[in-house]
């Protein structure tokens, strides 16, 4: 059978951990040696450069990497060149991490009181080097550097172990455990819970230390997961690589926005100007905009070319009407829609809901009359808008894409991340319509032959959803305010959109709890809800 | 806000970032260009250009050397002369100048006159058209005037000009020649030199051209990375618009880019590189580029051609490409994407290492591993037998038909594209009368394990295989076995046409007859060796099985040279027959009847009617039954009333009843689920249950696929149709838990698990078609592994494919695989199909071949004599140890029998000895019968003429060869004849060839010999041709259906004609036509009468009956065939040759040469035949062909008074004159 760890995989992982180590080591060096700009400080008020990066360290580090690159370029003529190059790089990383950390320890500065602002009480924060209002107290750079350096060392050692063909892999019980708890329910509910937690504990999350832990833990988790054949097989499919990138990008920018919003909210609560107000109002087109854009263009070109060379377009078999690829998946950006198809009829999941998403996005400026948050990040001032949008985007869109890409396998069955995609796995689909539940299970009689009569219960439920729920919502102050301020039409549109958005998670819940197929099922007219 | 100098980001930093990113981009772009430049196929092409250059240079060198050797002196001489000639323009400068001046002047005249002539001609043409116009307008007068005045004048002018021009031209040419001479005739000399250096020049021109294109400096510059200006490296592809690929929605043209890397594939001489070493595999020429086929050159000669890729061969590269045969993705230019398939584990590992190869799952037609290459032949060659080169495929085809795969699996038939095997017949015996034949007990054991009785039986095993061999399954197995037996015996009817066997029989004589009557052509009669017992049964050997080989026809009882022929396996081994029958008397009766008239028991049996007398059949039966029979392997079936069988029976009956009710007679009874237990246990008798289960089991296992079973006359075959199995999507195959099955088997030394080699283990893990097929044939039920639990798979859902006797023989399995993988059902454009190219004779041969196999004709008849091949380049003196003697004897032999008319290519002059030429080094193949062996010197009696060193040996001549130095190619067919003749030769101590006269005749030249219609009717109803022969041509049961019988006999007859390249199915016999006869009558009065006399008064009547004459030779002389049949049987040409000299056609024949080639003619021959021995031969031949005519003449002449019939030679016969 397929092996979890092959020499090729181990070499790949060694380089992966080298990358993780160099990131951490570089961060350590950055914290230790680089000048620090306080977030929110004007560009004039720079923090003083305290220590300088020793020249010998720069030379050694880049020298070792340079030799390594040369070795790799000429690997055809030298035996074992790649391994030697690896050891050189590892040595460079370790040297950088250790020197940065020990230098930091050597100078062992006291906490810079000047940066810690605000009246929060709490333990020390690792956010010292980018001190900001609202994120707790600062912690000293020395400790920061030591931690980064140590983590870099750990990653590097792990990398060396793999390079020396040590077979470290994710313990079987963890894989089995993860597979066991995985399921569409846990995944979706988990995401929703995580989302709620993100909003609730946003101040902690915005803190660098938390983000840092999350980053390094995900690096480690990803590296360890790659030792599983099935995980690796799915993740490294050239089709799926962009989605891995998407996870990183969405995660980073969500965090960044969240962080700035948290800082702004804290600053504004203190009556201070928000971060955006600290920035100059106008900058020059040249060089500030155009030059940066040019550099970005060049960088993106590099990235695309390298990607094009390294990951060739995956070709599969010629299309056939008799044998569809299994699983047959939509393009990645439609996988969220495809996931909706599990719960809704195509006309709903493929036509109504997507149209409403587009319509809703277009309607947003007309519905949302809240002028707060214009030109700066904030959550407190527009909580409803933020949560609604982020839930729709992150949970109902991105998370469903991830689910569709990585966890939906043959026959659109759900597979745990470490589970073998078995073509023959069969999951029972014992779903019933509401009419069955009502007539057969509750009333214990056969369903009426007339479809209208038969579907009456479903129609009542649907009608109630759209008629009664708004009335219930009106009991909430927030919605009362909207009705008062915006008028009835605005309120109705908003509530309708909201109800449609909520219909997806609600339907999911119904499916999982009472195996509900359709609320209204009229196959006679291809009308199912 | 006013503009400030302050920027948002630090400019120097941005500059650094920009610089770095620009450099990186530069590097990346270079990387991109290099990645393109170093694409594998480009690298291959560059490498090839180097090889090509080296090879061309080597050729150039070699040609130069040759030129030096052959023509150097001439070239040197020419060079000198050219030099001298070049000098002459200086020495003759004065004169040359004069001539050139003159030439200039005359040249001016020449050109002027030429132009004037052309103009005048144009003028004349125009005037003529004007004249035509006048005629059209009916202006006759004007036209006449115009012609007389203008046209005539113009014509005159033109004429004058022409004359003038001719004169000038002559002068001009003369001057030119003069100048040439003065210049020393350099041009001519150069032309002459070019003729000598042509070969070298050609190579040099090629080098120049290739240099410009591929490996010169400019080509190098053009091909530099990133430049790619008209690059020397190009993807090469063969477009095949008519050889489409099915892309599911559309048939798209095929583009084969294989030649992009396989550059040398269609180049002669690329088997080796410039140093003569084996060429790297990727560049090597195709192994059949110059051999394997024949073609007709423009001069009409048959020459060898390449079977593949050769433009003159049957599969030229530009119309066939590569992937149609090899499979793989033709448009792929990458090693893995082209879907290469390794043939061995070792090769796979090499590829993985070298090319990062992995199995391509996305291409439905992966390249065929070379072991299955022959599969592809089947895509077009639906007849199968028309590609004799594809040995493995042929073997697969034979195995499939022999083992009756088509009984369950449909192959071909209406609407399918591919080979059609629907006319193959069921291979098992008729079970409709089984009760009259075998005992119940034997049947039980046989069903349980047929290999226990005959380890090589065609009947596969259904029980004791991986999905029903657990102890828990035994009750059900035994219940089914009992049920089948019960059903068969209950429905059996007595055979209607069986009679009583003779009361007295003689087993001793029977044994003799068994051998004599040719039983061993199909059957063997020998005890089984322990090693022959199937692997699975080795643990259960029967201790009571102690056969005595001496009572049987064990091969050890035959001379060593013929032992291989004593193992015929077309029919079953008959050594333990007596164990089958209920009793000895029953067995005797059944056997006697069966041997005499097999069709009474099984109308379409492959066992022919041997036309034996009832007594002979009874004797043979008595002998067969007298040999004690025992099972080599112990097989036990518990009795029907044992609790085990009862339990299994109840369980299965309950299972079937709860599934579909109980069938009583024709009526289906529904039984409620809750009552099934009670119904089965108390309401059904045991016999009812057995009958019910028997029917269910027979339909489950598909026994009727091979056997005729009463009640299953219209049952449909149970297996998957195999029409397009060769491209079946692997996703549609259920591999079950095969990997787990294999893992749970112990691994042997060669890593095989349960006999599945590592190669197929990998193929199974990768879920490929080939892997599935192998395992399906090797362990058909292993896909049920861990699924036999009743909750997972019900008893009747388990796999049913049985395991054949050859399941452990990888070679056999691969033969069958080769065939099945070729069943792709791909619709090939008709222009590619053989039927578009074949002539009728090719069809006839292919079809006949099938029938010859089907009826095992080669069991008795020789189709080809053994061949002895002397490889090219071998010294003949070493091989032919007695060559001079052979030549002398052969040559002198002609003294007695040489007739010029019949041997136009031979010469004979008793005064001159033949002249032998030196051996030219070509390979020599002789074909004939080995008639004597002394130490290593083998004497071969030729059956085909052969020319060696300019001397032609004809049929019947002997050649002595050193058998260690020749390559013996076994003959085809005649197994029994070889066996019997060798046996008799050893027994009687006489010459081995002398027995052939009484044996089935070799069928060499049969097509030239007999008339097709005669052969057809003879096959249908064979009669005794030679009365003395005790072995008769049997009567076969042709045709799967009666209506097809005539078609089959005709096909066999056509086959022989087609093989020999003669006319079929009808022949014209001009010798019977009146014009032919009257022409000869004019020359030889009473032509037919003379012919008659030549026979009646000559030697013929010693052996042959002729009219009132009975053979006079007595019992000592072998009686010849009745001459009445000759006229419808023989073809005229062959008959004449035969009469002229029978031994030169069939060396062993007893028929002598009856017309002496020289010496005085017999006295009764008319004068007109004097000194014309061949005319006598023709006269006899024509008389025989006009037999009825001749006999009638005889009757008429006998009716005349005897006096009117003078015996004197030369007198006109009154009978003839009256006509």
């Amino acid at each position: 059978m397929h092996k979890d760890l092959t020499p090729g995989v181990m070499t790949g992982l060694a380089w992966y951990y080298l990358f993780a180590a160099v990131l951490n080591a570089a961060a350590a060096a950055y914290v230790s040696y680089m000048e620090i700009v306080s977030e929110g400080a004007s560009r004039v008020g720079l923090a003083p450069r305290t220590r300088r990066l020793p020249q010998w360290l720069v030379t050694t580090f880049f020298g070792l990497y340079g030799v390594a690159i040369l070795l790799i370029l000429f690997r055809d003529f030298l035996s074992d060149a790649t391994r030697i190059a690896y050891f050189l790089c590892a040595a460079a990383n370790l040297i950088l991490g250790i020197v940065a950390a020990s230098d930091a320890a050597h100078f062992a500065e006291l906490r810079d009181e000047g940066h810690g602002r605000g009246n929060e009480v709490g333990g020390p924060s690792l956010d010292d080097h980018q001190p900001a209002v609202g994120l707790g107290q600062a912690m000293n750079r020395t400790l920061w550097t030591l931690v980064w350096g140590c983590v870099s060392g750990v990653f590097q050692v792990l990398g060396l172990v793999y390079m020396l063909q040590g077979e470290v892999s994710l313990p079987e019980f963890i894989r089995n455990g993860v597979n066991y708890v995985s399921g569409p329910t846990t995944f979706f509910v988990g995401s929703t819970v995580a989302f709620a937690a993100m909003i609730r504990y946003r101040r902690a999350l915005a803190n660098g230390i938390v983000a840092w832990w999350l980053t390094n833990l995900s690096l480690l988790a990803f590296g360890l997961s790659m030792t599983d054949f099935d995980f690796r097989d799915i993740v490294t499919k050239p089709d799926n690589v962009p989605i891995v990138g998407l996870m990183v990008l969405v995660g980073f920018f969500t965090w960044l926005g969240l962080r700035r919003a948290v800082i702004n909210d804290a600053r504004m609560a203190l009556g201070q100007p928000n971060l955006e107000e600290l920035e100059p109002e106008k900058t020059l087109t040249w060089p500030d905009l155009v030059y940066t854009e040019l550099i970005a263009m060049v960088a993106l070109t590099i990235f695309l070319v390298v990607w094009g060379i390294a990951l060739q377009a995956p070709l599969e078999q010629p299309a056939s009407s008799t044998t569809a690829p299994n699983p047959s998946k939509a393009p990645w950006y439609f996988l969220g829609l495809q996931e909706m198809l599990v719960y809704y009829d195509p006309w709903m999941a493929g036509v109504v809901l997507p149209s409403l998403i587009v319509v809703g996005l277009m309607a947003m400026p007309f519905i949302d009359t809240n002028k707060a948050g214009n030109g700066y990040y904030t959550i407190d001032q527009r909580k409803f808008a933020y949560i609604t949008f982020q839930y729709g985007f992150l949970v109902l869109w991105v998370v469903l894409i991830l689910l569709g890409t990585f966890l939906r396998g043959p026959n659109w069955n759900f597979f745990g991340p470490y589970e073998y995609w078995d073509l023959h796995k069969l999951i029972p689909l014992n779903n019933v319509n509401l009419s069955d539940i009502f007539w057969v299970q509750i009333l214990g009689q056969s369903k009426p032959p007339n479809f209208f009569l038969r579907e009456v219960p479903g129609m009542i439920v649907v009608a109630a959803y759209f008629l009664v729920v708004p009335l219930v919502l009106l009991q909430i102050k927030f919605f009362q305010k909207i009705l008062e301020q915006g008028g009835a039409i605005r309120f109705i549109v908003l509530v309708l959109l909201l109800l449609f958005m909520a219909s997806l998670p609600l339907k999911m819940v119904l499916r999982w709890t009472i195996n509900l197929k359709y609320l209204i099922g009229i196959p006679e007219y291809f009308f199912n809800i | 806000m006013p503009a400030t100098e302050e920027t948002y980001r630090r400019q120097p930093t941005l500059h650094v970032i920009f610089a770095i990113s620009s450099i990186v981009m530069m590097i990346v772009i270079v990387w991109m260009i290099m990645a393109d430049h170093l694409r594998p196929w480009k690298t291959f092409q560059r490498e090839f250009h180097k090889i090509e250059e080296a090879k061309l240079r080597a050729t150039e060198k070699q040609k130069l050397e040759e030129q030096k050797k052959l023509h150097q002196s001439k070239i040197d001489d020419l060079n000198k002369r050219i030099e001298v000639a070049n000098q002459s323009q200086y020495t003759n400068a004065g004169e040359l100048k004069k001539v050139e001046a003159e030439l200039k002047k005359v040249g001016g005249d020449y050109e002027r006159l030429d132009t004037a002539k052309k103009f005048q001609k144009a003028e004349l043409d125009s005037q003529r058209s004007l004249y035509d116009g006048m005629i059209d307008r009916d202006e006759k007068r004007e036209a006449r005037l115009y012609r007389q005045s203008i046209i005539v004048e113009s014509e005159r002018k033109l004429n004058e000009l022409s004359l003038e021009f001719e004169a000038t031209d002559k002068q001009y040419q003369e001057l030119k020649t003069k100048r040439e001479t003065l210049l020393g005739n350099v041009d001519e000399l150069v032309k002459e030199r070019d003729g000598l250096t042509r070969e070298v020049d050609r190579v040099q021109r090629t080098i120049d051209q290739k240099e410009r294109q591929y490996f010169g400096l400019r080509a190098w510059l053009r091909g530099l990375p990133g430049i790619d200006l008209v690059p020397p490296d190009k993807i090469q592809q063969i477009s095949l618009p008519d050889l489409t690929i099915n892309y599911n929605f559309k048939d798209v043209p095929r583009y084969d880019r294989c030649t992009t890397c396989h550059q040398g594939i269609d180049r002669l001489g690329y088997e080796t590189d410039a140093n003569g070493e084996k060429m790297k595999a990727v560049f090597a020429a195709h192994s059949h580029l110059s051999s394997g086929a024949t073609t007709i050159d423009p001069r009409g000669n048959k020459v060898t051609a390449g079977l593949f890729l050769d433009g003159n061969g049957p599969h030229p590269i530009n119309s066939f490409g590569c992937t149609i045969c090899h499979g793989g993705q033709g448009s792929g230019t990458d090693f893995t994407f082209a879907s290469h398939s390794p043939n061995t584990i070792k090769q796979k590992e090499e590829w993985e290492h070298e090319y990062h190869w992995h199995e391509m799952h996305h291409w439905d037609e992966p390249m065929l591993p070379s072991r299955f290459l022959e599969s592809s032949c089947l895509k077009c060659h639906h007849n199968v037998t028309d590609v004799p080169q594809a040995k493995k495929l042929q073997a697969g085809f034979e195995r499939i038909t022999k083992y009756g795969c088509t009984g369950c699996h449909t192959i071909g038939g209406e609407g399918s594209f591919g080979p059609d095997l629907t006319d193959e017949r069921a291979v098992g015996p008729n079970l409709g009368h089984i009760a009259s034949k075998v005992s119940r007990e034997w049947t039980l054991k046989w069903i349980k394990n047929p290999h226990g009785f005959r380890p090589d039986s065609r009947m596969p095993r259904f029980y004791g295989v991986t999905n029903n061999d657990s102890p828990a399954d035994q009750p059900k197995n035994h219940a089914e076995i009992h049920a089948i037996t019960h059903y068969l015996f209950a429905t059996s009817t007595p055979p209607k046409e069986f009679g009583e066997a003779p009361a007295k029989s003689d087993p001793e004589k029977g044994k003799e007859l068994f051998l004599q009557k040719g039983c061993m052509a199909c059957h063997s009669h020998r005890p089984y060796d322990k090693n022959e017992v199937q692997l699975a049964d080795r643990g259960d050997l029967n201790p009571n099985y102690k056969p005595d080989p001496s009572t049987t026809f064990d091969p050890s009882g035959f001379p060593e040279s013929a032992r291989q022929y004593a193992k015929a396996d077309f029919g079953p081994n008959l050594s333990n027959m007596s164990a089958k029958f209920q009793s000895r008397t029953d067995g005797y009766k059944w056997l006697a009847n069966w041997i005499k008239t097999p069709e009474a028991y099984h109308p379409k049996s492959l066992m022919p009617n041997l036309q034996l007398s009832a007594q002979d059949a009874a004797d043979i039966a008595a002998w067969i039954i007298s040999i004690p029979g025992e099972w080599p392997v112990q097989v036990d079936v518990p009795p029907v009333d044992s609790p085990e069988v009862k339990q299994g029976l109840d369980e299965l009956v309950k299972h079937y009843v709860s599934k579909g009710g109980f069938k009583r007679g024709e009526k289906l009874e529904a039984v409620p689920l809750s009552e099934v237990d009670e119904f089965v246990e108390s309401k059904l008798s045991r016999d009812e249950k057995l009958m019910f289960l028997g029917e269910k089991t027979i339909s489950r296992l598909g026994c009727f696929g091979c056997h005729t079973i009463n009640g299953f006359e219209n049952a449909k075959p149970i297996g998957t149709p195999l029409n397009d199995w060769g491209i079946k999507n692997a996703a549609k195959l259920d591999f079950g838990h095969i990997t787990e099955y294999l893992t749970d088997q112990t691994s042997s030394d060669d890593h095989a698990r349960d006999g599945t080699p590592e190669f197929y283990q990998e193929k199974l893990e990768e879920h490929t078609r080939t892997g599935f097929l192998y395992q399906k044939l090797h362990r058909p039920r292993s896909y049920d592994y861990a699924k036999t639990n009743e909750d997972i798979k019900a008893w009747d859902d388990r796999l049913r494919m049985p395991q054949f006797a050859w399941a452990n023989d990888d070679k056999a399995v691969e033969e069958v695989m080769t065939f099945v993988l070729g069943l792709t059902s791909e619709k090939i454009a008709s222009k590619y199909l053989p039927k578009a190219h074949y002539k009728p004779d090719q069809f006839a041969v292919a079809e006949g071949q099938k029938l010859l196999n089907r009826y095992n004709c080669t069991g008795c008849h020789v189709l080809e004599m053994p061949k002895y091949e002397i490889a090219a380049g071998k010294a003949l003196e070493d091989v032919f140890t007695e060559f001079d003697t052979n030549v002398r004897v052969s040559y002198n032999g002609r003294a007695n029998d040489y007739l010029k008319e019949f041997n136009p290519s031979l010469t004979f002059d008793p005064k001159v000895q033949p002249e032998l030429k030196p051996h030219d080094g070509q390979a020599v193949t002789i074909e004939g019968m080995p008639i004597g062996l002394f130490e290593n010197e083998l004497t071969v009696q030729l059956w085909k003429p052969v020319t060696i060193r300019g001397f032609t040996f004809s049929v019947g001549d002997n050649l002595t060869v050193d058998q260690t130095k020749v390559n013996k190619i076994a003959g085809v067919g005649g197994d029994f004849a070889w066996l019997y003749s060798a046996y008799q030769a050893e027994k009687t101590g006489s010459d081995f060839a002398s027995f052939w006269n009484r044996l089935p005749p070799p069928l060499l030249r049969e097509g030239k010999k007999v008339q097709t219609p005669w052969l057809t009717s003879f096959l249908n109803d064979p009669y005794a041709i030679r009365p003395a022969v005790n072995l008769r041509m049997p009567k076969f049961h042709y045709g799967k259906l009666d209506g097809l019988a005539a078609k089959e006999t005709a096909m066999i007859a056509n086959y022989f004609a087609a093989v020999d390249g003669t006319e079929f199915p009808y022949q014209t016999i001009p010798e019977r036509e009146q014009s032919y006869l009257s022409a000869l009558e004019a020359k030889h009065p009473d032509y037919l009468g003379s012919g008659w006399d030549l026979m009646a008064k000559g030697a013929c009547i010693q052996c042959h009956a002729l009219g009132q004459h009975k053979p006079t030779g007595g019992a000592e002389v072998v009686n010849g065939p009745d001459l009445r049949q000759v006229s419808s049987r023989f073809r005229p040409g062959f008959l004449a040759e035969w009469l002229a000299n029978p031994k030169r056609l069939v060396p062993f024949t007893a028929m002598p040469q009856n017309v002496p080639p020289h010496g005085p003619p017999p006295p009764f021959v008319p004068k007109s035949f004097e000194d014309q021995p061949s005319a006598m031969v023709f006269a006899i031949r024509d008389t025989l062909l006009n037999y009825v005519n001749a006999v009638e003449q005889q009757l008429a002449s006998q009716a005349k008074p005897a006096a009117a019939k003078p015996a004197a030679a030369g007198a006109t016969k009154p009978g003839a004159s009256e006509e």
Side-chain angles (χ1 to χ4, degrees), chain B residues 438-724:
Chain B
V438 293
S439 71
R440 253 175 211 270
E441 195 219 345
W442 180 87
T443 314
L444 292 170
K445 286 160 75 178
W446 171 262
I447 295 172
K448 185 169 181 192
N449 184 2
H451 301 149
F453 188 66
R454 285 195 192 115
D456 54 354
S457 174
R458 292 188 199 186
M459 165 108 166
R461 68 170 76 195
F462 289 84
Y463 295 99
V465 280
T466 57
N467 74 346
N468 60 13
D469 60 352
S470 73
D473 290 333
Q474 293 317 312
K476 291 197 187 101
N477 287 345
H478 289 138
E480 281 196 340
I481 292 166
H482 273 290
I484 297 173
T485 314
H486 180 87
Y487 181 90
L488 293 177
F489 277 79
T491 56
S492 166
T493 56
K496 276 186 199 137
E497 286 161 44
F498 267 26
E500 279 307 315
K504 278 188 185 165
S505 59
D506 179 358
E508 275 311 304
K509 195 176 164 230
K511 182 174 183 186
E512 206 173 297
L513 286 169
F514 185 83
L515 180 64
Q516 212 176 61
K517 294 292 181 185
C519 303
M520 292 192 72
C522 296
H523 299 276
S524 57
H525 192 286
R526 60 191 174 89
Y528 287 106
D529 189 60
K530 263 181 204 158
N531 300 328
E532 283 176 86
V533 170
Q534 288 276 318
L535 279 177
D537 299 331
R538 299 245 167 112
D540 304 321
L541 292 178
N542 185 355
N544 299 330
Y545 184 66
K546 286 178 194 131
D548 175 7
S550 66
T551 59
T552 69
F553 282 109
D554 193 70
S556 59
F558 289 92
E560 192 161 357
S561 65
R563 269 179 207 166
Q564 50 168 318
Y565 302 121
K567 292 180 185 167
D569 63 348
F570 189 75
N573 178 351
L574 301 175
S575 65
N576 44 12
M577 278 297 274
S578 56
K580 288 175 80 163
F581 300 107
Q582 284 148 18
S583 69
R584 210 160 160 133
T585 24
D586 283 349
Y588 167 67
K589 182 188 166 192
W590 185 86
L591 270 174
N593 269 294
W594 166 256
I595 295 168
K596 187 167 177 298
T597 48
E599 58 274 17
Y601 187 81
H602 186 181
K604 286 296 168 191
S605 175
L606 282 174
M607 165 105 167
N609 185 329
L610 291 152
Q611 317 209 53
L612 297 177
S613 68
Q615 190 55 52
D616 283 355
D619 288 347
I620 296 174
W623 175 68
I624 290 175
I625 202 126
S626 72
I627 308 297
E630 188 50 78
W631 288 64
V633 174
Q634 219 157 9
V635 179
D636 296 309
V637 181
V640 69
D641 46 12
S642 65
E644 186 193 334
V645 174
K646 192 182 174 319
Q647 178 207 338
L649 187 62
D650 279 358
E651 273 177 40
L652 286 175
V653 172
K654 279 177 199 166
H655 173 72
Y656 283 116
V657 168
S658 50
K659 249 179 108 168
F662 184 76
K663 199 174 161 205
R664 207 185 289 274
E666 291 299 304
K667 235 181 75 207
L668 199 66
E669 258 176 55
V671 182
L673 269 183
S674 53
E675 290 163 32
V676 166
D677 283 1
E678 197 211 326
F679 176 79
V680 172
E681 273 158 28
S682 51
K683 290 204 182 145
L684 292 178
S685 72
R686 188 176 74 201
D687 280 1
E688 275 175 322
K689 288 189 242 179
L690 283 170
M691 193 70 186
F692 173 72
L693 180 62
E695 195 185 342
K696 289 280 178 201
T697 309
I698 289 169
S699 40
R700 177 170 90 85
L701 298 177
C703 310
F704 45 80
C706 295
H707 302 280
T708 313
I709 297 177
N710 293 330
F712 286 92
E713 288 78 6
N714 299 319
K716 296 271 176 295
I718 63 163
T720 321
L722 298 180
N723 287 332
D724 53 0

Side-chain angles (χ1 to χ4, degrees), chain B residues 941-1009:
Chain B
Q941 187 178 45
L942 290 184
W943 275 69
K944 269 203 181 147
V946 64
T947 305
I948 302 169
R949 294 178 61 192
F951 182 81
T952 304
F953 293 90
S954 49
V955 176
D957 286 341
N958 291 345
L959 267 170
T960 313
V961 294
D962 182 341
Q963 68 167 1
T964 58
K965 287 174 181 155
V966 293
N967 176 26
K968 186 184 170 185
I969 302 166
V972 177
D975 298 7
F976 174 69
W978 294 110
L979 176 77
Y980 191 74
S981 55
Y983 175 76
Q984 286 291 343
E986 196 183 75
K987 199 169 144 196
T988 59
S990 56
D991 184 12
F992 145 98
S994 62
F995 297 97
W996 279 81
N997 232 343
R998 293 163 187 271
L999 286 168
L1003 298 180
L1004 276 85
R1005 297 183 266 272
E1006 186 69 6
K1008 290 194 174 121
K1009 180 178 175 185

Side-chain angles (χ1 to χ4, degrees), chain A residues 317-325, chain B residues 246-250 364 729 732:
Chain A
Q317 63 262 65
S320 160
S321 52
T322 50
T323 46
Chain B
N246 182 4
Y247 271 1
N248 303 316
F249 293 100
K250 195 172 190 305
D364 287 341
N729 194 323
K732 288 186 183 159

Side-chain angles (χ1 to χ4, degrees), chain A residues 91-140:
Chain A
N93 289 351
L94 288 173
I95 290 169
L96 184 69
I98 291 168
V99 171
S102 56
D103 262 1
H106 178 66
F107 289 107
E109 288 177 344
L110 287 175
R111 194 164 40 173
D112 181 354
E113 294 293 343
H115 289 304
R117 285 191 199 145
N119 51 358
E120 294 95 335
V121 189
S125 142
L126 274 184
D127 216 27
D128 188 9
H129 66 291
Q130 282 189 332
V133 171
L135 296 179
Q137 281 180 325
M139 190 171 167
N140 96 26

Side-chain angles (χ1 to χ4, degrees), chain B residues 805-844:
Chain B
W806 38 266
N808 287 312
D809 176 2
D810 282 352
K811 197 170 145 271
V813 171
E814 284 185 1
E815 285 166 9
V816 175
M817 289 173 75
T818 304
F819 189 89
V820 175
L821 287 172
L823 296 169
T824 61
S825 223
E826 259 172 282
K827 294 225 168 24
I828 308 282
S830 64
K831 73 172 196 188
Y832 284 100
L833 294 179
K835 69 176 181 199
H837 307 279
Y838 276 5
K839 295 183 192 78
D841 58 327
Q842 280 167 296
F843 273 123

